[in-house]
Amino acid sequence: SESRYERAYDEAYQKVVTEYTAQSRPIIPDTIEKEAYTMVREAQKVDLQQLLYHIWFAGMAAVAFVILFCNAHLALRLRRHRCEMEIPDSLLRVYITEAVPTPCIFGFFKPAIYLTPAAAKDPQVRAHVLEHELTHYRHLDHIWSVLRSVCLVLHWYNPLVWIAARVSRADAE
């Protein structure tokens, strides 16, 4: 049985012979063989490029899905389990929730501060936590988080990008 490569070579050989005949060029076997071999090699190269592109795109889609799913899940949990807290002159809305283990800022277009019940109870702790989270807001950390995610989606295959994202997140703290 003929291999896939042999079939591709035979088809390329026949195509070159047909082109030479149509152009009334002399059919020299060595020349025909070289051109057919080059055609097959170029076709295989394109196939490899397409394969790598599809692998990259599939990885990108998978990472994007995981990031979006995790953020959507957290957003849903926060919306279901939050109670707004009145803080006069606050730049952002403040909520109390048990949906997160530690206080955080969450949201891109309308970021808000989420406090744990323990952090909200003590006025001194609450003041420090609010200032900490507002510092994140002033440093645009909620936007940097999205940019880190975009970098991870596009360069999911590169361990250095994952390390850089982790270091960037730690640096924000």
Side-chain angles (χ1 to χ4, degrees):
S1 78
E2 198 174 38
S3 74
R4 187 173 142 193
Y5 175 82
E6 289 170 335
R7 279 193 306 273
Y9 176 80
D10 289 345
E11 289 172 13
Y13 190 92
Q14 289 304 317
K15 186 175 181 179
V16 173
V17 168
T18 303
E19 287 175 9
Y20 270 56
T21 304
Q23 296 170 1
S24 299
R25 290 172 63 187
I27 297 176
I28 302 168
D30 286 347
T31 305
I32 304 288
E33 287 174 9
K34 285 178 187 175
E35 283 195 38
Y37 174 74
T38 301
M39 285 176 67
V40 171
R41 195 176 67 227
E42 289 300 314
Q44 287 177 333
K45 195 181 296 182
V46 169
D47 287 345
L48 178 61
Q49 288 173 345
Q50 288 176 346
L51 175 66
L52 292 175
Y53 172 76
H54 289 301
I55 291 170
W56 170 74
F57 192 82
M60 190 175 73
V63 171
F65 175 78
V66 169
I67 289 172
L68 289 172
F69 177 80
C70 290
N71 279 282
H73 182 67
L74 178 58
L76 188 61
R77 267 195 355 227
L78 289 172
R79 285 192 192 278
R80 283 187 184 161
H81 305 285
R82 71 182 184 185
C83 177
E84 190 165 1
M85 182 176 193
E86 290 294 324
I87 304 289
D89 301 325
S90 178
L91 290 172
L92 302 174
R93 289 185 169 210
V94 179
Y95 297 99
I96 300 172
T97 183
E98 291 181 349
V100 290
T102 61
C104 65
I105 184 173
F106 186 80
F108 183 74
F109 296 110
K110 293 182 181 178
I113 296 172
Y114 293 90
L115 300 176
T116 60
K121 242 185 250 182
D122 183 349
Q124 190 175 13
V125 171
R126 181 176 61 235
H128 288 296
V129 168
L130 288 175
E131 187 54 40
H132 177 85
E133 297 306 327
L134 285 171
T135 300
H136 282 301
Y137 178 70
R138 286 191 293 274
H139 290 173
L140 304 176
D141 288 342
H142 59 294
I143 294 171
W144 288 112
S145 178
V146 172
L147 291 174
R148 276 192 302 272
S149 296
V150 169
C151 289
L152 290 173
V153 166
L154 294 175
H155 299 280
W156 60 268
Y157 55 88
N158 189 339
L160 295 177
V161 174
W162 288 90
I163 293 167
R166 179 177 283 169
V167 170
S168 172
R169 185 174 176 190
D171 189 45
E173 280 303 321

